[in-house]
Amino acid sequence: MTDLRAPLRDERPDARDRRRSSGLFRAFWRWHFYASFLVVPVLLVLATTGLIYLFRFQIEPLLHPDLMNADQPSAASIRQPYAAQLAAVERAHPGAEVLSMAEPREEGRPTVFSVVTAAGEARDVYVNPYGAKVLGDLDLDATLSGTAVRLHAELMSGTLGDRVMELGACWAIVMALTGYYLLVKGRRARRRSRAPGARLRSRHAAVGSVVGIGLLMLLVSGLPWTGVFGERAQEIASGRGSSLWSTDPGAASDPHSTLDESLPHSHAHEVPWAQGGSEVPSSDGDGHERSVANLDTAVQVADGEGLRHPMTVALPAGDDGVFSVIGYAFDAPSDERTVHVDRYGGEVVSAYGFDDYPTLAKVVSQGIGLHEGRSLGHWSFWGSALMCVLVIVSCVTGPLMWWRRRPRGTGSLGAPRGRMPLRSSPLLALGIAALGVLLPLFGLSLLVVLALDQLVIRRVPALATFFGTA
């Protein structure tokens, strides 16, 4: 009589390997499934607002044509000096503090002055350089692009919104990594499957194979802005004599505009980093009864120093302040450079640029350029736009797949059943622990989830059934 147990003994190692592989696949699938409940809403917000922000220079002039278009009245009209345009702004907004001036980005665009009104409100004032006519002003936070930026950063909810977005970004990294595992290990099953929704699953996998790499790049390059990871990383870098940011120790002004991200990202008087002890440049009033330099002087001097147009000029803050002229570097972070010009004599007091950044700041600056689709010309711009669209597609097809395969009348979500084999996979356990340390919000949330699973869900039968615990 044939011994039926012999073949089983021969195949037992292979069967054990298949079970381990199957268990790991279903565990990764389960993580991918539950991560989507947080990640999908966050990624939809990030992708949609990111798409709006990418096209801000095309959208805003269409929404505000009376402010952002500055036609030449006649062929005989000439551009007025920036000093004359500044005077027009001061007349239109008495008592306002003018922070900075940005040259027209291209022909037919206005000069933009960032001001704080006498009532303490931030405004961008638009001036037609031909005739120095003030066209009007805008609260940038109230524009479509400004709203998109605030949603993108913190859901317009301050610290709480920032933490939610950072938590979603952390789990999105986990979702991308598990997605690639499912993509590779599940390719045979997808080809053979004839189940309802199989075609949609294959399309989701195809889109995800492209989205994953770009999404990881966008998430990693965006994390330095977050409140927990970014702040902690900056503290560690500062403690080692470096910095994540292109911080100019000589900047005495604070130019900013939500519509122009060509400015260095940290440009403030007090900067806690390795060069914070450097001498802060200031204007020397000795021998001068009044300022002999103005906006036009500063732009002319910076032009002689090789800065690119259109420039942004931060006006002097206080009697000993300097004109801080920032060269155009929107399409090339490596061109970032600021020249500080004495407000009295018009001499160059100091200069600071990409070559002076710490190594980390150079890496982060280049990452920001890629994140915002402004490095590598049109390739990165349209690549970022396509990435946003594909992320939206993935966020739609994922829930659709669940909707089609969801169990009906069982009182269950239909989540894949599986547990991470951490005891038998020390490298996997080490990797998850390392990720939890690197991304503190992910690590903390994972501990909370595991505690709820062990202490609550598995002890309540109805919850165990609903969540599909293994």
PDB file of all heavy atoms in Angstrom, residues 70 72 79 104-109 130:
ATOM      1  N   ALA A  70       0.214  93.791 -16.851  1.00  0.00           N
ATOM      2  CA  ALA A  70       0.650  95.183 -16.911  1.00  0.00           C
ATOM      3  C   ALA A  70       1.102  95.501 -18.330  1.00  0.00           C
ATOM      4  O   ALA A  70       2.274  95.328 -18.674  1.00  0.00           O
ATOM      5  CB  ALA A  70       1.773  95.440 -15.911  1.00  0.00           C
ATOM      6  N   GLN A  72       1.988  97.667 -21.696  1.00  0.00           N
ATOM      7  CA  GLN A  72       2.643  98.943 -22.007  1.00  0.00           C
ATOM      8  C   GLN A  72       1.622  99.861 -22.672  1.00  0.00           C
ATOM      9  O   GLN A  72       1.072  99.520 -23.725  1.00  0.00           O
ATOM     10  CB  GLN A  72       3.833  98.703 -22.935  1.00  0.00           C
ATOM     11  CG  GLN A  72       4.669  99.934 -23.208  1.00  0.00           C
ATOM     12  CD  GLN A  72       5.908  99.594 -24.030  1.00  0.00           C
ATOM     13  OE1 GLN A  72       6.114  98.451 -24.417  1.00  0.00           O
ATOM     14  NE2 GLN A  72       6.714 100.601 -24.308  1.00  0.00           N
ATOM     15  N   ARG A  79       9.753 102.201 -18.743  1.00  0.00           N
ATOM     16  CA  ARG A  79       9.652 101.706 -17.378  1.00  0.00           C
ATOM     17  C   ARG A  79      10.119 102.774 -16.387  1.00  0.00           C
ATOM     18  O   ARG A  79      11.130 103.443 -16.616  1.00  0.00           O
ATOM     19  CB  ARG A  79      10.511 100.459 -17.194  1.00  0.00           C
ATOM     20  CG  ARG A  79       9.968  99.213 -17.855  1.00  0.00           C
ATOM     21  CD  ARG A  79      10.953  98.071 -17.684  1.00  0.00           C
ATOM     22  NE  ARG A  79      10.455  96.837 -18.266  1.00  0.00           N
ATOM     23  CZ  ARG A  79       9.847  95.871 -17.593  1.00  0.00           C
ATOM     24  NH1 ARG A  79       9.646  96.023 -16.297  1.00  0.00           N
ATOM     25  NH2 ARG A  79       9.442  94.783 -18.192  1.00  0.00           N
ATOM     26  N   PRO A 104       9.225  92.282 -12.277  1.00  0.00           N
ATOM     27  CA  PRO A 104       8.278  91.548 -13.127  1.00  0.00           C
ATOM     28  C   PRO A 104       8.896  90.245 -13.623  1.00  0.00           C
ATOM     29  O   PRO A 104      10.044  90.221 -14.065  1.00  0.00           O
ATOM     30  CB  PRO A 104       8.022  92.524 -14.275  1.00  0.00           C
ATOM     31  CG  PRO A 104       8.297  93.879 -13.697  1.00  0.00           C
ATOM     32  CD  PRO A 104       9.419  93.676 -12.725  1.00  0.00           C
ATOM     33  N   ARG A 105       8.132  89.157 -13.551  1.00  0.00           N
ATOM     34  CA  ARG A 105       8.649  87.854 -13.945  1.00  0.00           C
ATOM     35  C   ARG A 105       8.887  87.769 -15.446  1.00  0.00           C
ATOM     36  O   ARG A 105       9.745  87.016 -15.906  1.00  0.00           O
ATOM     37  CB  ARG A 105       7.668  86.754 -13.522  1.00  0.00           C
ATOM     38  CG  ARG A 105       7.531  86.605 -12.014  1.00  0.00           C
ATOM     39  CD  ARG A 105       6.631  85.419 -11.673  1.00  0.00           C
ATOM     40  NE  ARG A 105       7.180  84.163 -12.173  1.00  0.00           N
ATOM     41  CZ  ARG A 105       8.046  83.413 -11.512  1.00  0.00           C
ATOM     42  NH1 ARG A 105       8.472  83.795 -10.317  1.00  0.00           N
ATOM     43  NH2 ARG A 105       8.489  82.292 -12.022  1.00  0.00           N
ATOM     44  N   GLU A 106       8.104  88.522 -16.202  1.00  0.00           N
ATOM     45  CA  GLU A 106       8.242  88.518 -17.655  1.00  0.00           C
ATOM     46  C   GLU A 106       7.575  89.771 -18.200  1.00  0.00           C
ATOM     47  O   GLU A 106       6.916  90.509 -17.467  1.00  0.00           O
ATOM     48  CB  GLU A 106       7.613  87.269 -18.253  1.00  0.00           C
ATOM     49  CG  GLU A 106       6.143  87.104 -17.911  1.00  0.00           C
ATOM     50  CD  GLU A 106       5.584  85.774 -18.359  1.00  0.00           C
ATOM     51  OE1 GLU A 106       6.259  84.744 -18.162  1.00  0.00           O
ATOM     52  OE2 GLU A 106       4.465  85.767 -18.895  1.00  0.00           O
ATOM     53  N   GLU A 107       7.730  90.009 -19.472  1.00  0.00           N
ATOM     54  CA  GLU A 107       7.117  91.174 -20.100  1.00  0.00           C
ATOM     55  C   GLU A 107       5.599  91.086 -19.975  1.00  0.00           C
ATOM     56  O   GLU A 107       5.009  90.031 -20.193  1.00  0.00           O
ATOM     57  CB  GLU A 107       7.515  91.247 -21.584  1.00  0.00           C
ATOM     58  CG  GLU A 107       7.114  92.531 -22.269  1.00  0.00           C
ATOM     59  CD  GLU A 107       7.804  93.747 -21.701  1.00  0.00           C
ATOM     60  OE1 GLU A 107       8.977  93.631 -21.273  1.00  0.00           O
ATOM     61  OE2 GLU A 107       7.170  94.823 -21.678  1.00  0.00           O
ATOM     62  N   GLY A 108       4.983  92.217 -19.592  1.00  0.00           N
ATOM     63  CA  GLY A 108       3.542  92.243 -19.433  1.00  0.00           C
ATOM     64  C   GLY A 108       3.070  91.906 -18.042  1.00  0.00           C
ATOM     65  O   GLY A 108       1.862  91.845 -17.798  1.00  0.00           O
ATOM     66  N   ARG A 109       4.011  91.700 -17.106  1.00  0.00           N
ATOM     67  CA  ARG A 109       3.663  91.427 -15.720  1.00  0.00           C
ATOM     68  C   ARG A 109       4.037  92.622 -14.850  1.00  0.00           C
ATOM     69  O   ARG A 109       4.943  93.383 -15.173  1.00  0.00           O
ATOM     70  CB  ARG A 109       4.382  90.176 -15.203  1.00  0.00           C
ATOM     71  CG  ARG A 109       4.049  88.914 -15.959  1.00  0.00           C
ATOM     72  CD  ARG A 109       2.584  88.567 -15.884  1.00  0.00           C
ATOM     73  NE  ARG A 109       2.288  87.277 -16.518  1.00  0.00           N
ATOM     74  CZ  ARG A 109       1.102  86.890 -16.909  1.00  0.00           C
ATOM     75  NH1 ARG A 109       0.060  87.707 -16.745  1.00  0.00           N
ATOM     76  NH2 ARG A 109       0.916  85.724 -17.468  1.00  0.00           N
ATOM     77  N   TYR A 130       5.123 100.733 -16.129  1.00  0.00           N
ATOM     78  CA  TYR A 130       4.963 101.845 -17.058  1.00  0.00           C
ATOM     79  C   TYR A 130       4.017 102.871 -16.443  1.00  0.00           C
ATOM     80  O   TYR A 130       2.807 102.670 -16.381  1.00  0.00           O
ATOM     81  CB  TYR A 130       4.407 101.359 -18.395  1.00  0.00           C
ATOM     82  CG  TYR A 130       5.280 100.333 -19.068  1.00  0.00           C
ATOM     83  CD1 TYR A 130       4.969  98.976 -18.996  1.00  0.00           C
ATOM     84  CD2 TYR A 130       6.420 100.709 -19.766  1.00  0.00           C
ATOM     85  CE1 TYR A 130       5.764  98.023 -19.606  1.00  0.00           C
ATOM     86  CE2 TYR A 130       7.224  99.764 -20.374  1.00  0.00           C
ATOM     87  CZ  TYR A 130       6.896  98.428 -20.298  1.00  0.00           C
ATOM     88  OH  TYR A 130       7.697  97.482 -20.896  1.00  0.00           O
TER      89      TYR A 130
END
